[in-house]
């Protein structure tokens, strides 16, 4: 009885380990692309009307895909509601990287507007985000905080 | 005269030859069993609500008693009856109940791969939340949302792919979401039945990975009052809690009451900094800001027992409020993670949930057959509060009422279930039933995630349990489900305005502003399952179960479109989704000579259309949005095995080893898309040694120590856009004592987890995505004082 039991256990283990080994993960790319942000630096301050020089290196193990640059307000929703004295700045730009590239130097100049829909730009902390995908759809995000206006120190 | 002289003799003779036999039948814990069929020759009797049976006039002689009750091992016993007698029989349950330190074996009749845990187990494994307390069972894991709440995962399947039921009624919360847990008071659970593999036949949609069936409808003993009072504390989140459970029964009526309260502070993690999206976020004083919470619950039960009818009416209410780490809903401004000097306050953002439940279970007994009616009403009301913020610049104004109410889901569920159980013979049981559910979800809040919907489901099933031979049991059945869902549309005019102002065309703005579409869908599903239990010898048994399972696509998967604020992803619903269908094969081999117990449990799940989020490679125009992820379906495979070894040495040392391994992936025509499925636990090995130092020494009834080790392998088989998680090894220890001074009794349990204060990450934790490590060293103390006139079970 013992032997029958053990041999059944053995057969089952073999069957299942075959199942497990039959899978082929080698073809799958889960490695995310890499973003190295050189400029702007964390908490760098800019005055309205100035330009942000954006410099970043994009890297991937196989092939880069596309990118999105986004700047949005970083204040968590306090202040100003109902006042409508200032306009929040929102900037977005997307682009595709030439197919097959494993590394790409991204350079861009973003001008900070003085007014948003006729209102003076809301000063304060903004998040500058870079979203980068590779050809397989793996995605990396990198964020830095910039200050529009005078740096208030935190 | 002569006649007069004879009469008393005759009467006496008559009284002498006709005897009365009565008796009581209980289970192993002395609980009286109602409705036991007692058969001797052609006479038949059934036990009453106190477990008594009575045969008023029998002839002297030898009788063979056949005792039979569904769910218990049948008993045949010979009794010599020469005079009036009161007998006592004990029936043993035919399921294997996993107690804390006991290996017991009996002849099984349960064909499904299920395991039953009692309250003793839950008490000694308590780890802050119910799902977390079940993690010792190989294959079960908890997805934790901070320190006070978690949701269960079976074999890497969670959310809507497993099912939790309480007293037979499916728990309906917001199972689809990753940032909220199970709304159940862990101290009010008397028994947990864990079913691995498909539970579709009994429960319908969602029971793909398995079922966690919680029961608290056991009957107290007649003329008894019992209960317990529990006090506990945990160091890592300074949790303090108390629970009281009371049970009272006179005769036919019984009453139960329970209440629990827990309050916990921000929990500690062994790090002073996390790196999230390449930004360093400081963790002040190694406390994760705003993860404090509180929980209170209350429940009451009224029951009636008689030999022909049983009824239980249960009411419960559960409330929980838990803070979110500010980074959980976006990149936090650094001042928001600063220490505010109060570890117990709950600031924005936080969630609160209230779960109300009323259920009624009624059983009419036509011995040995039963007709059962179950009704349930549940209201799960969940809210997320976050200081009003908008990602749409100036276009969204401050709401007039509840300005900080971000999300509000109010789900009402009505359940009705009629079940008829018919025993053709003791070896053939047929069950047939009709099960129906209606759900209504309504929403509020300044953000949008889940649309309003109505859902209806009706199902009919038929199962047959058949003991072909003492060595062979067979179960099989079929089930048909009809489901319909009606989803409301939601148009976000603020988003429309924002997109228009930022240079998007009218059509494009309108397309993205349509956060959910109006949609009506209906699905028909036919499922089957079959299982066999083979017990070739006393020490060896095999359970093989195969079956199909299904899951209705959720409202989000079908109709939503937009940024999911918890996962920071732009997710797009797909109205063309079909029901997710799975096929399961599960083999459990148990070998248990003497004080050993080996269980090996390999399994395979195959999905013909597993629903998953597929990255589109196209960026979302919405603020904070990366690429758009669309819901799609593909074939998928999930396979693995669990191993459990238990051994008792010298009746004092219990050793436990549990191993769980799983492998899964999609099966697509393009090989390069065969990604593993998300939230897959790595290989886990858990070992525990429990040593009883002594018994009955002074006021110490029992003193035991335990030591455990948990090791998890590195998880590098990740779904797309998950992070690789390193392996870890953590150690734990505990002391358990039972104290007794006269009639006063108490249990004291002291445990330490992660003794070495190791910094590690759990691949399936909600906060894993934020790179937040698991909690450090935790010391936990539980004091339990039994109340009343009989020992608790």
């Amino acid at each position: 009885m013992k032997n029958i039991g053990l041999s059944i256990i053995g057969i089952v283990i073999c069957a299942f380990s075959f199942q497990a080994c039959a899978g082929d993960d080698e073809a799958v790319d889960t490695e995310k692309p890499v973003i190295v942000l050189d400029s702007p630096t964390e908490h760098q301050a800019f005055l309205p009307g100035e330009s942000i020089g954006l410099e970043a290196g994009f890297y991937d193990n196989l092939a880069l895909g596309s990118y999105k640059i986004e700047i949005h307000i970083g204040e968590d929703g306090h202040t100003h509601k109902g006042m409508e004295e200032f306009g929040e700045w929102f900037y977005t730009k997307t682009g595709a990287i030439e197919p097959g590239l494993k590394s790409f130097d991204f350079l861009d100049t973003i001008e900070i507007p003085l007014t948003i829909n006729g209102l003076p730009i809301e000063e304060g902390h903004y998040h500058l985000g870079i979203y980068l995908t590779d050809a397989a759809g793996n995605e990396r995000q990198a964020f830095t905080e910039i200050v529009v206006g005078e740096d208030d120190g935190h | 005269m002569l006649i007069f002289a004879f009469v008393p003799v005759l009467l006496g003779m008559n009284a002498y030859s006709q005897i009365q036999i009565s008796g009581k039948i209980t289970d192993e814990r002395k609980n009286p069993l109602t409705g036991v069929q007692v058969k001797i020759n052609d006479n038949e009797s059934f036990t009453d609500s106190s477990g008594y049976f009575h045969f008023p006039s029998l002839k002297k002689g030898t009788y063979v008693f056949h005792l039979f009750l569904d769910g218990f091992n049948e008993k045949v016993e010979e009794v010599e009856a020469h005079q009036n007698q009161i007998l006592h029989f004990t029936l043993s349950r035919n399921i294997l109940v996993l107690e804390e330190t006991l290996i017991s074996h009996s002849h099984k009749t349960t064909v499904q791969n299920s395991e039953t845990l009692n309250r003793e187990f839950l008490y000694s494994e308590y780890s802050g939340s119910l799902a977390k307390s079940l993690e010792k069972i190989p294959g079960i894991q908890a997805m934790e949302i901070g320190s006070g709440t978690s949701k269960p995962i079976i074999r890497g399947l969670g959310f809507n792919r497993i099912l939790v039921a309480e007293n037979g009624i499916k728990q309906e919360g917001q199972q689809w979401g990753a940032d909220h847990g199970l709304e159940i008071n862990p101290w009010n659970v008397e028994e947990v039945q864990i079913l691995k593999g498909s539970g579709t036949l009994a429960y319908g949609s969602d029971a793909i990975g398995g079922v966690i069936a919680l029961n608290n409808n056991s009957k107290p003993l007649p003329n008894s009052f019992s209960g317990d009072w529990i006090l506990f504390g945990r160091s890592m989140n300074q949790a303090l809690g108390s629970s009281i459970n009371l049970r009272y029964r006179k005769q036919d009526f019984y009453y139960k009451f329970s209440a629990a309260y827990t309050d916990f502070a921000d929990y500690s993690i062994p790090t002073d900094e996390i790196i999230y999206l390449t930004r360093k976020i400081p963790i002040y004083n190694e406390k994760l800001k705003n993860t404090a919470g509180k929980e209170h619950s209350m429940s009451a039960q009224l029951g009636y027992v008689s030999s022909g009818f049983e009824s239980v009416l249960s009411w419960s209410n559960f409330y929980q409020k838990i803070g979110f780490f500010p980074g959980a809903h976006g990149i936090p401004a650094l001042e928001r993670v600063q220490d505010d000097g109060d570890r117990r306050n709950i600031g924005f953002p936080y969630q609160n949930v209230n779960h109300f439940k009323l259920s009624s279970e009624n059983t009419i007994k036509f011995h040995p057959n039963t007709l059962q009616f179950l009704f349930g009403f549940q209201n799960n009301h969940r809210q997320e509060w976050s200081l009003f913020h908008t990602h749409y610049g100036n276009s969204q104004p401050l709401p007039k009422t509840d300005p900080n109410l971000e999300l509000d889901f109010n789900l009402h569920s009505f359940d009705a279930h009629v079940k008829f159980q018919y025993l053709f013979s003791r070896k053939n049981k047929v069950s047939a039933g009709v099960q129906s559910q209606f759900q209504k979800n309504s929403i509020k809040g300044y953000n949008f995630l889940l649309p309003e919907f109505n859902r209806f489901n009706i199902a009919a099933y038929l199962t047959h349990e058949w003991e072909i031979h003492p060595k062979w049991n067979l179960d099989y059945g079929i089930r048909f489900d009809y489901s319909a869902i009606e989803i409301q549309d939601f148009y976000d005019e603020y988003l429309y305005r924002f997109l228009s102002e930022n240079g998007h065309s009218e059509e494009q703005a309108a397309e993205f502003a349509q956060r959910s579409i109006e949609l009506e869908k209906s699905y028909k599903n036919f499922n089957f399952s079959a299982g066999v239990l083979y017990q070739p010898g006393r020490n060896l048994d095999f359970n093989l179960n195969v079956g199909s399972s299904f899951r209705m696509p959720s409202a989000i998967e079908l109709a939503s479109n937009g940024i999911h604020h918890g996962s920071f992803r732009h997710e797009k619903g797909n109205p063309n989704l079909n029901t997710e269908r799975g096929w399961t094969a599960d083999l459990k081999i148990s070998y248990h000579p003497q004080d050993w117990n080996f269980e090996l449990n390999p399994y395979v799940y195959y999905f013909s259309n597993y629903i998953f989020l597929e990255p589109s490679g196209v960026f979302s125009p919405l603020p904070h949005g990366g690429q758009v992820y669309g819901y799609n379906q593909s074939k998928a495979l999930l396979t693995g095995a669990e191993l459990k070894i238990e051994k008792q040495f010298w009746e004092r040392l219990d050793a436990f080893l549990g191993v769980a391994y799983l492998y899964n992936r999609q099966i697509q025509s393009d090989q390069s898309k065969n990604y593993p499925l998300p939230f897959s636990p790595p290989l886990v090995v858990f070992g525990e040694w429990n040593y009883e130092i002594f018994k009955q020494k002074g006021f110490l009834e029992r003193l035991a120590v335990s030591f455990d080790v948990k090791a998890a392998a590195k998880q590098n088989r990740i779904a797309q856009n998950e992070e690789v998680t390193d392996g870890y090894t953590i150690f734990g220890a505990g002391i358990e004592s039972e104290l007794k001074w006269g009639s006063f009794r108490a249990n004291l349990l002291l445990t330490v987890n992660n003794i070495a204060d190791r910094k590690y990450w759990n691949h399936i934790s909600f906060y894993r995505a934020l790179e937040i490590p698991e909690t450090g060293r935790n010391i936990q103390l539980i004091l339990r004082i039994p109340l009343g006139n009989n020992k608790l079970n």
Side-chain angles (χ1 to χ4, degrees):
Chain A
M1 201 49 77
K2 220 173 195 176
N3 290 336
I4 297 172
L6 288 175
S7 54
I8 292 176
I9 293 172
I11 291 164
V12 168
I13 293 171
C14 290
F16 279 86
S17 50
F18 170 75
Q19 275 278 16
C21 302
D24 179 18
D25 290 341
E26 304 312 313
V28 172
D29 175 24
T30 51
E31 206 172 311
K32 295 179 179 185
V34 175
I35 302 167
V36 179
L37 182 62
D38 297 319
S39 169
T41 53
E42 176 92 27
H43 268 104
Q44 198 174 335
F46 300 89
L47 290 172
E50 280 187 335
S51 292
I52 301 167
L54 187 58
E55 288 175 42
F58 296 165
Y59 308 94
D60 190 58
N61 60 327
L62 296 171
L64 288 162
S66 49
Y67 64 86
K68 174 181 171 181
I69 311 296
E70 183 178 307
I71 299 173
H72 57 247
I73 193 118
E75 308 287 346
D76 283 345
H78 49 95
T79 71
H80 81 68
K81 281 302 150 201
M83 311 281 284
E84 303 278 326
E85 280 177 43
F86 300 98
E88 279 179 15
W89 178 38
F90 178 75
Y91 172 87
T92 177
K93 177 182 180 174
T94 55
I97 298 158
E98 198 180 312
L101 287 187
K102 285 188 181 182
S103 76
F104 181 73
D105 288 325
F106 181 75
L107 296 170
D108 200 12
T109 308
I110 302 164
E111 208 168 288
I112 303 174
L114 291 164
T115 58
I116 307 289
N117 294 327
L119 299 170
I121 186 169
E122 166 109 19
E123 296 190 4
H125 294 159
Y126 279 81
H127 288 149
L128 186 153
I130 302 175
Y131 299 80
L132 177 67
T133 61
D134 66 9
N138 296 307
E139 184 176 333
R140 175 82 69 182
Q141 301 176 33
F143 275 85
T144 192
E145 201 164 273
I146 56 166
V147 180
V148 172
E150 303 292 339
D151 189 357
D152 61 359
H154 64 248
Chain B
M1 197 61 201
L2 249 158
I3 294 169
F4 279 107
F6 266 100
V7 170
V9 176
L10 278 169
L11 281 171
M13 281 275 291
N14 193 35
Y16 195 63
S17 62
Q18 292 285 309
I19 56 166
Q20 291 189 23
I21 292 185
S22 56
K24 188 178 183 182
I25 302 177
T26 64
D27 67 6
E28 298 118 311
R29 293 181 177 277
K30 305 270 180 278
N31 295 308
L33 297 172
T34 307
V36 181
Q37 184 187 38
V38 184
K39 247 183 132 170
I40 40 177
N41 303 336
D42 291 333
N43 291 313
E44 191 184 59
S45 170
F46 292 95
T47 55
D48 64 12
S49 62
S50 307
Y52 287 101
F53 67 88
H54 186 64
F55 292 101
S57 57
L58 293 172
K59 284 195 181 110
K60 280 200 291 185
T62 304
Y63 292 98
V64 179
F65 278 73
H66 282 268
L67 308 180
F68 179 73
L69 179 66
D70 194 29
F72 289 80
N73 289 312
E74 189 176 342
K75 195 164 202 162
V76 181
E77 213 166 287
E78 210 176 76
V79 175
E80 280 191 42
H82 299 297
Q83 57 197 20
N84 293 350
Q85 269 184 355
I86 296 170
L87 304 167
H88 181 233
F89 295 106
T90 305
L91 294 186
S92 58
R93 294 227 261 172
N94 60 17
I95 49 167
L96 198 65
V97 178
L98 190 70
E99 312 232 349
E100 203 14 48
T101 54
L102 187 77
I103 299 170
S104 61
H105 304 292
S106 53
H107 186 83
K108 290 200 270 186
T109 56
T110 310
V111 174
Q112 285 187 315
N113 179 4
S114 79
E115 196 160 3
T116 305
L117 314 171
N118 64 8
R119 194 150 183 265
E120 213 58 45
F121 178 95
L122 294 173
Y123 156 75
S124 57
E125 295 296 322
Y126 179 74
S127 342
S129 59
L130 184 69
K132 190 74 187 156
S133 311
L134 302 177
E135 274 198 318
K136 186 179 166 181
I137 309 298
I140 310 287
Q141 305 223 279
M143 176 183 229
E144 284 188 278
I145 304 102
S147 64
T149 188
S150 63
K151 58 195 339 163
I153 289 190
I154 302 177
R155 294 168 170 171
L157 298 169
F159 309 108
N160 287 349
R161 290 189 182 95
I162 65 150
L163 190 141
V164 178
E166 193 182 28
N167 298 334
I169 289 176
K170 184 183 174 193
Q171 176 83 5
E172 287 286 4
Q174 308 283 352
Q175 298 96 311
W176 49 270
D179 51 3
H180 31 92
L182 211 51
E183 292 95 4
I184 287 197
N185 169 17
W187 300 110
N188 186 33
V189 176
E190 292 166 353
E191 183 185 88
V192 182
Q193 213 177 332
I194 294 174
L195 170 73
K196 293 184 206 165
S198 168
T200 304
L201 235 43
Y203 295 98
S205 175
D206 303 6
I208 297 177
V211 176
I212 295 179
L214 311 168
N215 296 315
N216 53 28
N217 52 2
S218 74
K219 299 183 230 3
L221 294 171
N223 299 308
S224 76
F225 170 72
S226 67
D228 62 6
W229 182 42
I230 292 166
L231 271 172
F232 62 95
R234 286 156 68 75
S235 68
M236 63 98 165
N237 59 357
Q238 291 186 347
L240 278 173
S242 181
S243 150
I244 189 147
N245 293 279
L246 302 172
R247 301 150 63 86
Y248 170 74
R249 177 165 164 197
K250 192 82 194 152
Q251 272 308 316
D252 298 345
F253 284 96
Y254 62 87
Y255 312 88
K256 288 201 261 179
F257 172 81
S258 81
Y261 185 85
T262 314
D263 186 284
F264 52 91
D266 295 344
Y267 72 94
S268 40
I269 50 173
T271 187
D272 51 17
E273 183 181 273
I274 56 168
I275 295 167
Y276 174 49
L277 296 181
T278 68
R279 296 194 68 216
K280 283 182 185 165
I281 298 173
I283 302 296
Y284 296 95
N285 305 319
E286 303 197 344
K287 311 272 184 292
L288 195 63
K289 179 79 193 291
N290 203 41
T291 52
K294 60 182 176 189
E295 184 179 304
H296 54 78
S297 58
M298 217 188 259
S299 68
Q301 210 170 69
L302 167 68
Y304 172 77
V305 197
S306 71
S307 58
F309 179 65
E310 278 183 25
S311 179
V312 191
L313 181 69
S314 310
W315 163 84
S316 67
N317 195 68
F318 174 97
Y319 174 85
Q320 193 182 51
K321 177 177 173 181
I322 299 184
F324 281 117
F325 178 63
H329 287 166
I331 304 127
L334 295 186
E335 64 262 27
R336 304 221 12 231
V337 297
Q338 247 152 30
D339 188 5
D340 58 4
D342 186 353
R343 200 179 160 185
R344 301 194 95 86
N345 63 343
I346 305 171
F348 292 116
Y350 67 84
Q351 59 173 320
N352 57 248
V353 62
N354 193 82
H355 197 105
F356 171 90
K357 198 187 282 182
L358 194 63
S359 70
S360 166
E361 195 182 337
N362 306 283
T363 312
I364 304 168
K365 300 189 212 171
F366 316 96
H367 298 286
N369 306 319
T370 57
L371 180 63
Q372 212 175 20
F373 297 90
L374 268 105
F375 303 100
F377 167 70
Q378 292 172 77
N379 173 234
N380 185 286
H381 188 193
R382 188 170 171 273
Q383 296 178 318
E384 279 188 27
W385 295 80
S386 183
L387 215 51
F388 175 73
H389 61 283
T390 168
H391 302 306
Y392 309 153
N394 293 25
S395 29
Q396 186 170 7
L398 187 76
K400 287 194 176 63
T401 53
D402 289 333
N404 299 317
L405 177 61
E406 185 169 12
L407 295 168
D408 183 306
F409 310 135
N410 200 351
L411 179 67
H412 291 86
S413 307
F414 303 86
D415 284 274
H417 184 181
V418 183
K419 182 180 181 179
F420 182 61
Q421 228 171 220
Y422 186 78
L423 278 80
F424 280 102
S425 69
R426 285 171 199 168
K427 292 178 174 161
N428 278 281
K429 182 162 94 182
V430 171
S431 304
V434 176
Q435 223 173 22
S436 179
Q437 187 190 55
F438 175 74
Q439 283 191 317
K440 184 178 174 60
N441 184 61
S442 44
I443 59 166
K444 276 196 284 201
Y446 64 82
N447 204 340
F448 175 84
L449 178 59
L450 171 73
E452 298 203 323
F453 65 84
N454 291 336
R455 208 175 101 154
F456 174 75
N457 189 83
I458 189 155
Y461 63 86
L462 185 71
T463 62
H464 178 200
E465 292 169 47
W466 182 17
E467 187 186 312
I468 305 170
H469 180 268
K471 288 182 176 180
W472 289 92
N473 290 66
L474 175 71
D475 272 19
Y476 61 92
I478 48 167
R479 179 181 170 111
F480 177 78
D481 278 81
Y482 171 80
S483 328
I485 188 165
E486 195 184 289
I487 300 169
Q488 304 297 315
D489 76 321
F490 186 91
Y491 188 78
D492 190 342
E493 56 179 302
Y494 306 120
L495 178 58
Y496 175 79
R497 205 181 305 162
F498 172 80
L499 290 174
S500 310
E501 279 172 9
N502 281 282
H504 291 276
S505 71
E506 217 166 280
E507 296 84 63
Q508 208 183 7
E511 185 198 324
F512 285 101
Q514 192 72 47
R515 299 293 306 271
S516 91
I517 52 166
E518 195 179 314
L519 187 67
E520 273 180 46
K521 297 276 281 188
S522 66
Y523 298 95
K524 290 186 186 86
N525 280 285
F526 183 75
N527 286 281
F528 81 97
S529 90
V532 60
L533 165 69
Y534 172 50
Q535 300 173 91
R538 249 181 64 83
N539 298 330
L540 186 66
D541 41 68
F542 300 87
N543 297 65
L544 176 69
N545 285 280
V546 293
S548 64
S549 56
F550 79 103
R551 176 174 81 85
M552 286 261 297
S554 69
I556 286 197
E557 291 166 332
L558 285 168
S560 274
N561 181 16
I563 306 272
H564 187 307
H565 77 308
S567 63
F568 322 109
R569 285 199 295 216
H570 186 151
E571 299 176 356
K572 197 171 186 321
N574 179 352
N576 300 319
L577 294 178
N578 287 319
T579 14
E580 185 170 278
R581 284 196 65 78
W583 280 267
T584 311
D586 183 296
L587 174 66
K588 182 159 123 182
I589 305 158
S590 314
Y591 180 57
H592 35 80
Q594 286 159 358
D595 38 21
W596 280 93
N597 185 30
F598 295 92
E599 281 177 18
L600 180 68
N601 189 183
Y603 57 86
V604 190
Y605 295 73
Y606 172 79
F607 295 92
S608 60
N609 46 5
Y610 183 88
I611 301 175
F612 72 105
L613 275 170
E614 188 173 45
S616 69
V618 177
F619 280 106
S620 162
L622 306 186
H624 299 246
Q627 63 179 321
V628 176
Y629 286 76
Y631 279 103
N632 208 343
Q633 295 186 299
S634 90
K635 294 188 180 90
L637 171 78
L638 165 64
T639 179
E642 285 125 24
L643 174 72
K644 186 164 91 173
I645 302 174
E646 291 167 287
K647 161 81 177 145
Q648 200 175 54
F649 300 93
W650 322 295
E651 294 185 346
R652 281 187 156 210
L653 176 68
D654 290 287
F656 177 96
L657 177 76
V659 183
Y661 169 77
L662 70 83
Y663 170 94
N664 60 31
R665 65 174 168 93
Q666 294 178 36
I667 305 171
Q668 302 227 27
S669 48
D670 179 356
Q671 282 262 315
S672 70
K673 286 185 169 177
N674 286 344
Y675 285 100
L677 307 181
F679 294 114
S680 296
L683 169 74
V684 177
V685 180
F686 178 78
E688 188 182 61
W689 295 266
N690 217 303
Y691 183 71
E692 189 177 85
I693 301 174
F694 57 74
K695 256 186 179 162
Q696 284 166 340
K697 216 176 204 181
F699 61 87
L700 271 172
E701 277 285 288
R702 192 179 117 85
L703 185 70
V705 289
S706 68
F707 175 77
D708 62 76
V709 53
K710 182 180 180 179
K714 181 178 181 175
Q715 183 55 289
N716 48 19
R717 299 199 66 260
I718 53 171
Q720 218 166 4
N721 295 313
E722 276 189 335
E723 294 288 341
V724 169
T725 305
D726 280 331
Y728 60 87
T729 305
I730 50 169
F731 302 95
I735 303 174
E736 192 194 346
S737 62
E738 213 178 302
L739 313 164
K740 193 185 171 189
W741 290 280
S743 63
F744 177 80
R745 282 171 172 275
N747 289 67
L748 204 58
L749 180 66
L750 178 74
T751 48
V752 188
N753 300 108
N754 194 2
I755 293 175
D757 206 23
R758 166 106 203 238
K759 180 178 170 182
Y760 70 99
W761 285 265
N762 179 359
H763 190 67
I764 57 170
S765 165
F766 168 66
Y767 282 130
R768 169 70 189 95
L770 311 183
E771 300 283 347
I772 296 171
E774 293 296 293
T775 59
R777 185 183 303 118
N778 177 40
I779 302 167
Q780 176 177 286
L781 186 70
I782 306 179
L783 171 70
R784 184 171 64 155
I785 301 168
L787 306 169
N789 62 7
N790 50 31
K791 211 179 161 231
L792 259 164
N793 50 57

